[in-house]
Amino acid sequence: MARVVVDVMLKPEILDPQGQAVQRALPRLGYEGISDVRQGKRFELEVEGPVDDDALARIHQLAETFLANTVIEDFTVRVEEREEVTPA
Amino acid sequence: MARVVVDVMLKPEILDPQGQAVQRALPRLGYEGISDVRQGKRFELEVEGPVDDDALARIHQLAETFLANTVIEDFTVRVEEREEVTPA
């Protein structure tokens, strides 16, 4: 079982009110030095079987068709190397 | 200028209706072999100046306090290596 991550972000030229709201709140909250914030979506897909070129191509197509609105969003597809999760 | 990415995902034990909706739709749409989908948030922060341990610690605190609800969400903080974006 492998994990494939699809990140979907608004294109740079598209206004991002969510990200802007976060960015404008930061100085008030005591965090300086962050000049821009963009907010997007992250999909984690658990894939059965090997993630070969064929499987990645299908997931790419899936992301393009269903997960992202390619008129206003860009996306990336990648096989995830396991990252350290901060237990909270 | 460096980019720091904060990924916020629901904890594994928390139900994820958005991800489930995507996962259940996939076989109908012709995509088999994906056993689970989780949907979360991705924040891209553009940081002025060097991203040293101190800056990362502040962003970690920021994420824990404002970007994630740590009762139900886990998060990761990492400096992004530039990835290939699929132009769509």
Side-chain angles (χ1 to χ4, degrees), chain A residues 7 11 31-33 35-42 44 46 48 58 61 86 88, chain B residues 7 11 31-33 35-42 44 46 48 58 61 88:
Chain A
D7 288 319
K11 287 177 190 280
Y31 296 93
E32 306 284 346
S35 61
D36 193 25
V37 177
R38 307 279 291 172
Q39 180 172 347
K41 284 174 284 187
R42 173 187 167 96
E44 294 181 350
E46 303 297 331
E48 291 162 4
R58 284 174 55 245
Q61 191 189 29
T86 306
Chain B
D7 288 319
K11 287 178 190 276
Y31 295 94
E32 306 284 347
S35 61
D36 193 26
V37 177
R38 309 279 291 174
Q39 180 173 346
K41 285 174 284 187
R42 173 187 166 97
E44 293 180 352
E46 304 295 334
E48 290 162 3
R58 283 175 56 245
Q61 191 189 29

PDB file of all heavy atoms in Angstrom, chain A residues 7 11 31-33 35-42 44 46 48 58 61 86 88, chain B residues 7 11 31-33 35-42 44 46 48 58 61 88:
ATOM      1  N   ASP A   7      -1.637  17.706  -4.303  1.00  0.00           N
ATOM      2  CA  ASP A   7      -1.790  19.055  -3.760  1.00  0.00           C
ATOM      3  C   ASP A   7      -2.473  19.924  -4.796  1.00  0.00           C
ATOM      4  O   ASP A   7      -2.060  19.947  -5.958  1.00  0.00           O
ATOM      5  CB  ASP A   7      -0.423  19.659  -3.417  1.00  0.00           C
ATOM      6  CG  ASP A   7       0.205  19.021  -2.194  1.00  0.00           C
ATOM      7  OD1 ASP A   7      -0.535  18.763  -1.226  1.00  0.00           O
ATOM      8  OD2 ASP A   7       1.422  18.794  -2.205  1.00  0.00           O
ATOM      9  N   LYS A  11      -4.185  28.978  -8.731  1.00  0.00           N
ATOM     10  CA  LYS A  11      -3.123  29.519  -9.571  1.00  0.00           C
ATOM     11  C   LYS A  11      -2.651  30.853  -8.982  1.00  0.00           C
ATOM     12  O   LYS A  11      -3.441  31.563  -8.348  1.00  0.00           O
ATOM     13  CB  LYS A  11      -3.651  29.756 -10.988  1.00  0.00           C
ATOM     14  CG  LYS A  11      -3.869  28.494 -11.810  1.00  0.00           C
ATOM     15  CD  LYS A  11      -4.465  28.859 -13.167  1.00  0.00           C
ATOM     16  CE  LYS A  11      -4.925  27.639 -13.926  1.00  0.00           C
ATOM     17  NZ  LYS A  11      -3.821  26.928 -14.601  1.00  0.00           N
ATOM     18  N   TYR A  31       3.194  37.565  14.689  1.00  0.00           N
ATOM     19  CA  TYR A  31       4.091  36.903  13.740  1.00  0.00           C
ATOM     20  C   TYR A  31       4.404  37.852  12.598  1.00  0.00           C
ATOM     21  O   TYR A  31       3.539  38.164  11.777  1.00  0.00           O
ATOM     22  CB  TYR A  31       3.467  35.614  13.221  1.00  0.00           C
ATOM     23  CG  TYR A  31       3.273  34.598  14.311  1.00  0.00           C
ATOM     24  CD1 TYR A  31       2.077  34.515  15.009  1.00  0.00           C
ATOM     25  CD2 TYR A  31       4.308  33.753  14.682  1.00  0.00           C
ATOM     26  CE1 TYR A  31       1.909  33.610  16.041  1.00  0.00           C
ATOM     27  CE2 TYR A  31       4.156  32.838  15.707  1.00  0.00           C
ATOM     28  CZ  TYR A  31       2.955  32.776  16.382  1.00  0.00           C
ATOM     29  OH  TYR A  31       2.804  31.883  17.404  1.00  0.00           O
ATOM     30  N   GLU A  32       5.633  38.316  12.560  1.00  0.00           N
ATOM     31  CA  GLU A  32       6.078  39.215  11.507  1.00  0.00           C
ATOM     32  C   GLU A  32       6.899  38.421  10.485  1.00  0.00           C
ATOM     33  O   GLU A  32       7.309  37.303  10.739  1.00  0.00           O
ATOM     34  CB  GLU A  32       6.962  40.334  12.103  1.00  0.00           C
ATOM     35  CG  GLU A  32       6.321  41.106  13.248  1.00  0.00           C
ATOM     36  CD  GLU A  32       5.253  42.107  12.784  1.00  0.00           C
ATOM     37  OE1 GLU A  32       5.207  42.388  11.576  1.00  0.00           O
ATOM     38  OE2 GLU A  32       4.484  42.595  13.630  1.00  0.00           O
ATOM     39  N   GLY A  33       7.107  39.047   9.346  1.00  0.00           N
ATOM     40  CA  GLY A  33       8.055  38.469   8.397  1.00  0.00           C
ATOM     41  C   GLY A  33       7.472  37.400   7.493  1.00  0.00           C
ATOM     42  O   GLY A  33       8.203  36.677   6.834  1.00  0.00           O
ATOM     43  N   SER A  35       5.290  37.213   4.247  1.00  0.00           N
ATOM     44  CA  SER A  35       4.803  38.184   3.282  1.00  0.00           C
ATOM     45  C   SER A  35       3.601  37.691   2.489  1.00  0.00           C
ATOM     46  O   SER A  35       2.893  38.488   1.886  1.00  0.00           O
ATOM     47  CB  SER A  35       5.932  38.559   2.324  1.00  0.00           C
ATOM     48  OG  SER A  35       6.360  37.403   1.635  1.00  0.00           O
ATOM     49  N   ASP A  36       3.382  36.395   2.459  1.00  0.00           N
ATOM     50  CA  ASP A  36       2.232  35.899   1.708  1.00  0.00           C
ATOM     51  C   ASP A  36       1.827  34.530   2.250  1.00  0.00           C
ATOM     52  O   ASP A  36       2.675  33.748   2.696  1.00  0.00           O
ATOM     53  CB  ASP A  36       2.568  35.786   0.216  1.00  0.00           C
ATOM     54  CG  ASP A  36       1.315  35.577  -0.625  1.00  0.00           C
ATOM     55  OD1 ASP A  36       0.222  35.972  -0.183  1.00  0.00           O
ATOM     56  OD2 ASP A  36       1.433  35.021  -1.738  1.00  0.00           O
ATOM     57  N   VAL A  37       0.535  34.277   2.215  1.00  0.00           N
ATOM     58  CA  VAL A  37       0.006  32.962   2.597  1.00  0.00           C
ATOM     59  C   VAL A  37      -0.979  32.539   1.525  1.00  0.00           C
ATOM     60  O   VAL A  37      -1.828  33.333   1.109  1.00  0.00           O
ATOM     61  CB  VAL A  37      -0.718  33.017   3.969  1.00  0.00           C
ATOM     62  CG1 VAL A  37      -1.320  31.659   4.313  1.00  0.00           C
ATOM     63  CG2 VAL A  37       0.227  33.475   5.073  1.00  0.00           C
ATOM     64  N   ARG A  38      -0.844  31.325   1.061  1.00  0.00           N
ATOM     65  CA  ARG A  38      -1.835  30.764   0.145  1.00  0.00           C
ATOM     66  C   ARG A  38      -2.390  29.508   0.796  1.00  0.00           C
ATOM     67  O   ARG A  38      -1.654  28.726   1.402  1.00  0.00           O
ATOM     68  CB  ARG A  38      -1.207  30.375  -1.203  1.00  0.00           C
ATOM     69  CG  ARG A  38      -0.422  31.454  -1.891  1.00  0.00           C
ATOM     70  CD  ARG A  38      -1.228  32.452  -2.655  1.00  0.00           C
ATOM     71  NE  ARG A  38      -1.872  31.919  -3.847  1.00  0.00           N
ATOM     72  CZ  ARG A  38      -2.762  32.615  -4.573  1.00  0.00           C
ATOM     73  NH1 ARG A  38      -3.086  33.844  -4.215  1.00  0.00           N
ATOM     74  NH2 ARG A  38      -3.315  32.092  -5.647  1.00  0.00           N
ATOM     75  N   GLN A  39      -3.688  29.309   0.663  1.00  0.00           N
ATOM     76  CA  GLN A  39      -4.298  28.113   1.230  1.00  0.00           C
ATOM     77  C   GLN A  39      -4.857  27.239   0.127  1.00  0.00           C
ATOM     78  O   GLN A  39      -5.531  27.721  -0.783  1.00  0.00           O
ATOM     79  CB  GLN A  39      -5.423  28.503   2.207  1.00  0.00           C
ATOM     80  CG  GLN A  39      -6.077  27.273   2.820  1.00  0.00           C
ATOM     81  CD  GLN A  39      -7.060  27.608   3.922  1.00  0.00           C
ATOM     82  OE1 GLN A  39      -7.107  28.725   4.411  1.00  0.00           O
ATOM     83  NE2 GLN A  39      -7.856  26.626   4.315  1.00  0.00           N
ATOM     84  N   GLY A  40      -4.572  25.958   0.202  1.00  0.00           N
ATOM     85  CA  GLY A  40      -5.083  25.035  -0.797  1.00  0.00           C
ATOM     86  C   GLY A  40      -5.497  23.723  -0.169  1.00  0.00           C
ATOM     87  O   GLY A  40      -5.638  23.619   1.049  1.00  0.00           O
ATOM     88  N   LYS A  41      -5.659  22.715  -1.022  1.00  0.00           N
ATOM     89  CA  LYS A  41      -6.140  21.419  -0.561  1.00  0.00           C
ATOM     90  C   LYS A  41      -5.078  20.359  -0.758  1.00  0.00           C
ATOM     91  O   LYS A  41      -4.255  20.422  -1.669  1.00  0.00           O
ATOM     92  CB  LYS A  41      -7.388  21.014  -1.360  1.00  0.00           C
ATOM     93  CG  LYS A  41      -8.628  21.756  -0.950  1.00  0.00           C
ATOM     94  CD  LYS A  41      -9.796  21.436  -1.845  1.00  0.00           C
ATOM     95  CE  LYS A  41      -9.672  22.145  -3.179  1.00  0.00           C
ATOM     96  NZ  LYS A  41     -10.866  22.003  -4.025  1.00  0.00           N
ATOM     97  N   ARG A  42      -5.112  19.386   0.141  1.00  0.00           N
ATOM     98  CA  ARG A  42      -4.199  18.263   0.052  1.00  0.00           C
ATOM     99  C   ARG A  42      -5.022  16.993   0.127  1.00  0.00           C
ATOM    100  O   ARG A  42      -5.809  16.797   1.046  1.00  0.00           O
ATOM    101  CB  ARG A  42      -3.226  18.319   1.238  1.00  0.00           C
ATOM    102  CG  ARG A  42      -2.310  17.117   1.394  1.00  0.00           C
ATOM    103  CD  ARG A  42      -1.531  17.247   2.701  1.00  0.00           C
ATOM    104  NE  ARG A  42      -0.875  16.001   3.067  1.00  0.00           N
ATOM    105  CZ  ARG A  42       0.390  15.708   2.803  1.00  0.00           C
ATOM    106  NH1 ARG A  42       1.151  16.580   2.201  1.00  0.00           N
ATOM    107  NH2 ARG A  42       0.906  14.557   3.168  1.00  0.00           N
ATOM    108  N   GLU A  44      -4.800  12.825   0.238  1.00  0.00           N
ATOM    109  CA  GLU A  44      -3.951  11.651   0.418  1.00  0.00           C
ATOM    110  C   GLU A  44      -4.709  10.426  -0.091  1.00  0.00           C
ATOM    111  O   GLU A  44      -5.765  10.093   0.445  1.00  0.00           O
ATOM    112  CB  GLU A  44      -3.589  11.473   1.899  1.00  0.00           C
ATOM    113  CG  GLU A  44      -2.722  12.593   2.442  1.00  0.00           C
ATOM    114  CD  GLU A  44      -2.333  12.431   3.909  1.00  0.00           C
ATOM    115  OE1 GLU A  44      -2.907  11.523   4.557  1.00  0.00           O
ATOM    116  OE2 GLU A  44      -1.484  13.189   4.394  1.00  0.00           O
ATOM    117  N   GLU A  46      -4.701   6.384  -0.706  1.00  0.00           N
ATOM    118  CA  GLU A  46      -4.048   5.115  -0.405  1.00  0.00           C
ATOM    119  C   GLU A  46      -4.274   4.193  -1.595  1.00  0.00           C
ATOM    120  O   GLU A  46      -5.408   3.834  -1.910  1.00  0.00           O
ATOM    121  CB  GLU A  46      -4.636   4.492   0.861  1.00  0.00           C
ATOM    122  CG  GLU A  46      -4.567   5.368   2.102  1.00  0.00           C
ATOM    123  CD  GLU A  46      -3.137   5.683   2.549  1.00  0.00           C
ATOM    124  OE1 GLU A  46      -2.231   4.860   2.296  1.00  0.00           O
ATOM    125  OE2 GLU A  46      -2.927   6.750   3.158  1.00  0.00           O
ATOM    126  N   GLU A  48      -3.813   0.723  -3.701  1.00  0.00           N
ATOM    127  CA  GLU A  48      -3.522  -0.709  -3.603  1.00  0.00           C
ATOM    128  C   GLU A  48      -2.576  -1.093  -4.728  1.00  0.00           C
ATOM    129  O   GLU A  48      -2.716  -0.621  -5.853  1.00  0.00           O
ATOM    130  CB  GLU A  48      -4.823  -1.514  -3.718  1.00  0.00           C
ATOM    131  CG  GLU A  48      -5.727  -1.345  -2.511  1.00  0.00           C
ATOM    132  CD  GLU A  48      -7.159  -1.759  -2.804  1.00  0.00           C
ATOM    133  OE1 GLU A  48      -7.426  -2.235  -3.911  1.00  0.00           O
ATOM    134  OE2 GLU A  48      -8.007  -1.570  -1.909  1.00  0.00           O
ATOM    135  N   ARG A  58      -2.807   7.415 -14.214  1.00  0.00           N
ATOM    136  CA  ARG A  58      -4.244   7.386 -13.940  1.00  0.00           C
ATOM    137  C   ARG A  58      -4.606   8.379 -12.833  1.00  0.00           C
ATOM    138  O   ARG A  58      -5.626   9.069 -12.904  1.00  0.00           O
ATOM    139  CB  ARG A  58      -4.690   5.971 -13.555  1.00  0.00           C
ATOM    140  CG  ARG A  58      -4.793   5.042 -14.756  1.00  0.00           C
ATOM    141  CD  ARG A  58      -5.100   3.604 -14.341  1.00  0.00           C
ATOM    142  NE  ARG A  58      -6.303   3.506 -13.527  1.00  0.00           N
ATOM    143  CZ  ARG A  58      -6.338   3.122 -12.244  1.00  0.00           C
ATOM    144  NH1 ARG A  58      -5.236   2.816 -11.609  1.00  0.00           N
ATOM    145  NH2 ARG A  58      -7.465   3.054 -11.598  1.00  0.00           N
ATOM    146  N   GLN A  61      -4.616  11.841 -14.153  1.00  0.00           N
ATOM    147  CA  GLN A  61      -5.839  12.101 -14.914  1.00  0.00           C
ATOM    148  C   GLN A  61      -7.017  12.355 -13.973  1.00  0.00           C
ATOM    149  O   GLN A  61      -7.831  13.264 -14.184  1.00  0.00           O
ATOM    150  CB  GLN A  61      -6.117  10.893 -15.803  1.00  0.00           C
ATOM    151  CG  GLN A  61      -7.200  11.108 -16.838  1.00  0.00           C
ATOM    152  CD  GLN A  61      -7.571   9.823 -17.529  1.00  0.00           C
ATOM    153  OE1 GLN A  61      -7.467   8.735 -16.956  1.00  0.00           O
ATOM    154  NE2 GLN A  61      -8.013   9.937 -18.775  1.00  0.00           N
ATOM    155  N   THR A  86       3.693  15.701  13.470  1.00  0.00           N
ATOM    156  CA  THR A  86       3.757  16.253  14.819  1.00  0.00           C
ATOM    157  C   THR A  86       2.540  15.790  15.603  1.00  0.00           C
ATOM    158  O   THR A  86       1.428  16.182  15.288  1.00  0.00           O
ATOM    159  CB  THR A  86       3.736  17.785  14.757  1.00  0.00           C
ATOM    160  OG1 THR A  86       4.784  18.211  13.892  1.00  0.00           O
ATOM    161  CG2 THR A  86       3.934  18.379  16.139  1.00  0.00           C
ATOM    162  N   ALA A  88      -0.161  16.043  18.128  1.00  0.00           N
ATOM    163  CA  ALA A  88      -0.636  17.263  18.797  1.00  0.00           C
ATOM    164  C   ALA A  88      -1.694  16.897  19.843  1.00  0.00           C
ATOM    165  O   ALA A  88      -2.199  15.795  19.851  1.00  0.00           O
ATOM    166  CB  ALA A  88      -1.216  18.213  17.764  1.00  0.00           C
TER     167      ALA A  88
ATOM    168  N   ASP B   7       1.128  21.401   6.259  1.00  0.00           N
ATOM    169  CA  ASP B   7       0.039  20.512   5.885  1.00  0.00           C
ATOM    170  C   ASP B   7      -0.772  20.186   7.124  1.00  0.00           C
ATOM    171  O   ASP B   7      -0.215  19.810   8.158  1.00  0.00           O
ATOM    172  CB  ASP B   7       0.584  19.202   5.284  1.00  0.00           C
ATOM    173  CG  ASP B   7       1.168  19.410   3.901  1.00  0.00           C
ATOM    174  OD1 ASP B   7       0.561  20.157   3.114  1.00  0.00           O
ATOM    175  OD2 ASP B   7       2.217  18.813   3.609  1.00  0.00           O
ATOM    176  N   LYS B  11      -6.837  13.943  12.102  1.00  0.00           N
ATOM    177  CA  LYS B  11      -6.199  12.784  12.712  1.00  0.00           C
ATOM    178  C   LYS B  11      -6.824  11.503  12.149  1.00  0.00           C
ATOM    179  O   LYS B  11      -8.000  11.498  11.770  1.00  0.00           O
ATOM    180  CB  LYS B  11      -6.417  12.815  14.232  1.00  0.00           C
ATOM    181  CG  LYS B  11      -5.584  13.862  14.960  1.00  0.00           C
ATOM    182  CD  LYS B  11      -5.924  13.837  16.448  1.00  0.00           C
ATOM    183  CE  LYS B  11      -5.306  15.019  17.176  1.00  0.00           C
ATOM    184  NZ  LYS B  11      -3.915  14.793  17.561  1.00  0.00           N
ATOM    185  N   TYR B  31     -12.228   4.642 -11.597  1.00  0.00           N
ATOM    186  CA  TYR B  31     -10.925   4.512 -10.947  1.00  0.00           C
ATOM    187  C   TYR B  31     -11.012   3.475  -9.833  1.00  0.00           C
ATOM    188  O   TYR B  31     -11.670   3.707  -8.822  1.00  0.00           O
ATOM    189  CB  TYR B  31     -10.460   5.865 -10.393  1.00  0.00           C
ATOM    190  CG  TYR B  31     -10.208   6.855 -11.496  1.00  0.00           C
ATOM    191  CD1 TYR B  31     -11.201   7.733 -11.900  1.00  0.00           C
ATOM    192  CD2 TYR B  31      -8.990   6.878 -12.165  1.00  0.00           C
ATOM    193  CE1 TYR B  31     -10.992   8.621 -12.937  1.00  0.00           C
ATOM    194  CE2 TYR B  31      -8.771   7.760 -13.206  1.00  0.00           C
ATOM    195  CZ  TYR B  31      -9.770   8.626 -13.579  1.00  0.00           C
ATOM    196  OH  TYR B  31      -9.550   9.499 -14.619  1.00  0.00           O
ATOM    197  N   GLU B  32     -10.396   2.327 -10.057  1.00  0.00           N
ATOM    198  CA  GLU B  32     -10.388   1.256  -9.060  1.00  0.00           C
ATOM    199  C   GLU B  32      -9.055   1.284  -8.325  1.00  0.00           C
ATOM    200  O   GLU B  32      -8.103   1.925  -8.756  1.00  0.00           O
ATOM    201  CB  GLU B  32     -10.565  -0.113  -9.747  1.00  0.00           C
ATOM    202  CG  GLU B  32     -11.792  -0.214 -10.648  1.00  0.00           C
ATOM    203  CD  GLU B  32     -13.097  -0.355  -9.872  1.00  0.00           C
ATOM    204  OE1 GLU B  32     -13.025  -0.629  -8.654  1.00  0.00           O
ATOM    205  OE2 GLU B  32     -14.181  -0.171 -10.469  1.00  0.00           O
ATOM    206  N   GLY B  33      -9.006   0.576  -7.204  1.00  0.00           N
ATOM    207  CA  GLY B  33      -7.720   0.346  -6.542  1.00  0.00           C
ATOM    208  C   GLY B  33      -7.270   1.468  -5.624  1.00  0.00           C
ATOM    209  O   GLY B  33      -6.120   1.514  -5.220  1.00  0.00           O
ATOM    210  N   SER B  35      -8.024   2.702  -1.997  1.00  0.00           N
ATOM    211  CA  SER B  35      -8.769   2.173  -0.858  1.00  0.00           C
ATOM    212  C   SER B  35      -9.161   3.247   0.148  1.00  0.00           C
ATOM    213  O   SER B  35     -10.051   3.034   0.959  1.00  0.00           O
ATOM    214  CB  SER B  35      -7.953   1.093  -0.153  1.00  0.00           C
ATOM    215  OG  SER B  35      -6.741   1.644   0.318  1.00  0.00           O
ATOM    216  N   ASP B  36      -8.506   4.379   0.105  1.00  0.00           N
ATOM    217  CA  ASP B  36      -8.873   5.431   1.062  1.00  0.00           C
ATOM    218  C   ASP B  36      -8.440   6.783   0.525  1.00  0.00           C
ATOM    219  O   ASP B  36      -7.426   6.898  -0.175  1.00  0.00           O
ATOM    220  CB  ASP B  36      -8.210   5.171   2.428  1.00  0.00           C
ATOM    221  CG  ASP B  36      -8.817   6.055   3.518  1.00  0.00           C
ATOM    222  OD1 ASP B  36      -9.983   6.462   3.386  1.00  0.00           O
ATOM    223  OD2 ASP B  36      -8.121   6.328   4.511  1.00  0.00           O
ATOM    224  N   VAL B  37      -9.221   7.792   0.836  1.00  0.00           N
ATOM    225  CA  VAL B  37      -8.883   9.171   0.480  1.00  0.00           C
ATOM    226  C   VAL B  37      -9.101  10.028   1.722  1.00  0.00           C
ATOM    227  O   VAL B  37     -10.130   9.912   2.387  1.00  0.00           O
ATOM    228  CB  VAL B  37      -9.776   9.697  -0.672  1.00  0.00           C
ATOM    229  CG1 VAL B  37      -9.443  11.156  -0.979  1.00  0.00           C
ATOM    230  CG2 VAL B  37      -9.623   8.845  -1.922  1.00  0.00           C
ATOM    231  N   ARG B  38      -8.125  10.845   2.040  1.00  0.00           N
ATOM    232  CA  ARG B  38      -8.291  11.838   3.112  1.00  0.00           C
ATOM    233  C   ARG B  38      -8.051  13.209   2.507  1.00  0.00           C
ATOM    234  O   ARG B  38      -7.156  13.388   1.678  1.00  0.00           O
ATOM    235  CB  ARG B  38      -7.276  11.621   4.252  1.00  0.00           C
ATOM    236  CG  ARG B  38      -7.194  10.232   4.820  1.00  0.00           C
ATOM    237  CD  ARG B  38      -8.256   9.903   5.824  1.00  0.00           C
ATOM    238  NE  ARG B  38      -8.118  10.636   7.078  1.00  0.00           N
ATOM    239  CZ  ARG B  38      -9.039  10.572   8.053  1.00  0.00           C
ATOM    240  NH1 ARG B  38     -10.127   9.830   7.906  1.00  0.00           N
ATOM    241  NH2 ARG B  38      -8.871  11.250   9.165  1.00  0.00           N
ATOM    242  N   GLN B  39      -8.868  14.171   2.920  1.00  0.00           N
ATOM    243  CA  GLN B  39      -8.694  15.522   2.403  1.00  0.00           C
ATOM    244  C   GLN B  39      -8.301  16.458   3.531  1.00  0.00           C
ATOM    245  O   GLN B  39      -8.890  16.434   4.610  1.00  0.00           O
ATOM    246  CB  GLN B  39      -9.996  16.009   1.747  1.00  0.00           C
ATOM    247  CG  GLN B  39      -9.847  17.421   1.186  1.00  0.00           C
ATOM    248  CD  GLN B  39     -11.054  17.881   0.388  1.00  0.00           C
ATOM    249  OE1 GLN B  39     -11.903  17.096   0.026  1.00  0.00           O
ATOM    250  NE2 GLN B  39     -11.108  19.174   0.108  1.00  0.00           N
ATOM    251  N   GLY B  40      -7.308  17.279   3.278  1.00  0.00           N
ATOM    252  CA  GLY B  40      -6.874  18.231   4.284  1.00  0.00           C
ATOM    253  C   GLY B  40      -6.502  19.556   3.660  1.00  0.00           C
ATOM    254  O   GLY B  40      -6.836  19.833   2.519  1.00  0.00           O
ATOM    255  N   LYS B  41      -5.792  20.356   4.438  1.00  0.00           N
ATOM    256  CA  LYS B  41      -5.439  21.697   4.001  1.00  0.00           C
ATOM    257  C   LYS B  41      -3.932  21.829   3.844  1.00  0.00           C
ATOM    258  O   LYS B  41      -3.163  21.197   4.551  1.00  0.00           O
ATOM    259  CB  LYS B  41      -5.926  22.728   5.031  1.00  0.00           C
ATOM    260  CG  LYS B  41      -7.415  22.969   4.991  1.00  0.00           C
ATOM    261  CD  LYS B  41      -7.858  23.876   6.115  1.00  0.00           C
ATOM    262  CE  LYS B  41      -7.884  23.131   7.429  1.00  0.00           C
ATOM    263  NZ  LYS B  41      -8.476  23.931   8.524  1.00  0.00           N
ATOM    264  N   ARG B  42      -3.556  22.676   2.915  1.00  0.00           N
ATOM    265  CA  ARG B  42      -2.145  22.966   2.689  1.00  0.00           C
ATOM    266  C   ARG B  42      -1.968  24.481   2.708  1.00  0.00           C
ATOM    267  O   ARG B  42      -2.650  25.196   1.967  1.00  0.00           O
ATOM    268  CB  ARG B  42      -1.738  22.400   1.326  1.00  0.00           C
ATOM    269  CG  ARG B  42      -0.339  22.769   0.860  1.00  0.00           C
ATOM    270  CD  ARG B  42      -0.136  22.281  -0.575  1.00  0.00           C
ATOM    271  NE  ARG B  42       1.033  22.857  -1.192  1.00  0.00           N
ATOM    272  CZ  ARG B  42       2.229  22.268  -1.254  1.00  0.00           C
ATOM    273  NH1 ARG B  42       2.392  21.072  -0.770  1.00  0.00           N
ATOM    274  NH2 ARG B  42       3.243  22.865  -1.828  1.00  0.00           N
ATOM    275  N   GLU B  44       0.786  27.564   2.204  1.00  0.00           N
ATOM    276  CA  GLU B  44       2.111  27.949   1.723  1.00  0.00           C
ATOM    277  C   GLU B  44       2.438  29.326   2.280  1.00  0.00           C
ATOM    278  O   GLU B  44       1.747  30.294   1.980  1.00  0.00           O
ATOM    279  CB  GLU B  44       2.136  27.974   0.185  1.00  0.00           C
ATOM    280  CG  GLU B  44       1.971  26.589  -0.440  1.00  0.00           C
ATOM    281  CD  GLU B  44       1.995  26.609  -1.969  1.00  0.00           C
ATOM    282  OE1 GLU B  44       1.994  27.727  -2.542  1.00  0.00           O
ATOM    283  OE2 GLU B  44       2.019  25.530  -2.565  1.00  0.00           O
ATOM    284  N   GLU B  46       5.124  32.382   2.566  1.00  0.00           N
ATOM    285  CA  GLU B  46       6.343  32.981   2.010  1.00  0.00           C
ATOM    286  C   GLU B  46       7.033  33.738   3.135  1.00  0.00           C
ATOM    287  O   GLU B  46       6.488  34.712   3.667  1.00  0.00           O
ATOM    288  CB  GLU B  46       6.008  33.930   0.859  1.00  0.00           C
ATOM    289  CG  GLU B  46       5.214  33.307  -0.272  1.00  0.00           C
ATOM    290  CD  GLU B  46       5.969  32.215  -1.020  1.00  0.00           C
ATOM    291  OE1 GLU B  46       7.221  32.244  -1.026  1.00  0.00           O
ATOM    292  OE2 GLU B  46       5.317  31.322  -1.581  1.00  0.00           O
ATOM    293  N   GLU B  48      10.046  35.938   4.773  1.00  0.00           N
ATOM    294  CA  GLU B  48      11.139  36.879   4.483  1.00  0.00           C
ATOM    295  C   GLU B  48      12.350  36.487   5.320  1.00  0.00           C
ATOM    296  O   GLU B  48      12.208  36.118   6.487  1.00  0.00           O
ATOM    297  CB  GLU B  48      10.703  38.306   4.832  1.00  0.00           C
ATOM    298  CG  GLU B  48       9.641  38.853   3.882  1.00  0.00           C
ATOM    299  CD  GLU B  48       8.901  40.041   4.465  1.00  0.00           C
ATOM    300  OE1 GLU B  48       9.261  40.472   5.575  1.00  0.00           O
ATOM    301  OE2 GLU B  48       7.957  40.517   3.820  1.00  0.00           O
ATOM    302  N   ARG B  58       9.045  29.268  15.265  1.00  0.00           N
ATOM    303  CA  ARG B  58       7.929  30.221  15.330  1.00  0.00           C
ATOM    304  C   ARG B  58       6.781  29.775  14.429  1.00  0.00           C
ATOM    305  O   ARG B  58       5.609  29.884  14.795  1.00  0.00           O
ATOM    306  CB  ARG B  58       8.408  31.616  14.934  1.00  0.00           C
ATOM    307  CG  ARG B  58       9.192  32.322  16.052  1.00  0.00           C
ATOM    308  CD  ARG B  58       9.759  33.653  15.589  1.00  0.00           C
ATOM    309  NE  ARG B  58       8.757  34.551  15.064  1.00  0.00           N
ATOM    310  CZ  ARG B  58       8.682  34.968  13.802  1.00  0.00           C
ATOM    311  NH1 ARG B  58       9.572  34.565  12.915  1.00  0.00           N
ATOM    312  NH2 ARG B  58       7.737  35.784  13.418  1.00  0.00           N
ATOM    313  N   GLN B  61       4.903  26.994  16.014  1.00  0.00           N
ATOM    314  CA  GLN B  61       3.999  27.495  17.049  1.00  0.00           C
ATOM    315  C   GLN B  61       2.748  28.128  16.425  1.00  0.00           C
ATOM    316  O   GLN B  61       1.624  27.912  16.904  1.00  0.00           O
ATOM    317  CB  GLN B  61       4.760  28.531  17.877  1.00  0.00           C
ATOM    318  CG  GLN B  61       4.061  28.958  19.148  1.00  0.00           C
ATOM    319  CD  GLN B  61       4.766  30.148  19.785  1.00  0.00           C
ATOM    320  OE1 GLN B  61       5.393  30.957  19.088  1.00  0.00           O
ATOM    321  NE2 GLN B  61       4.660  30.254  21.093  1.00  0.00           N
ATOM    322  N   ALA B  88      -1.905  23.567 -15.971  1.00  0.00           N
ATOM    323  CA  ALA B  88      -3.191  22.993 -16.369  1.00  0.00           C
ATOM    324  C   ALA B  88      -3.973  24.024 -17.171  1.00  0.00           C
ATOM    325  O   ALA B  88      -3.654  25.195 -17.157  1.00  0.00           O
ATOM    326  CB  ALA B  88      -3.963  22.573 -15.139  1.00  0.00           C
TER     327      ALA B  88
END
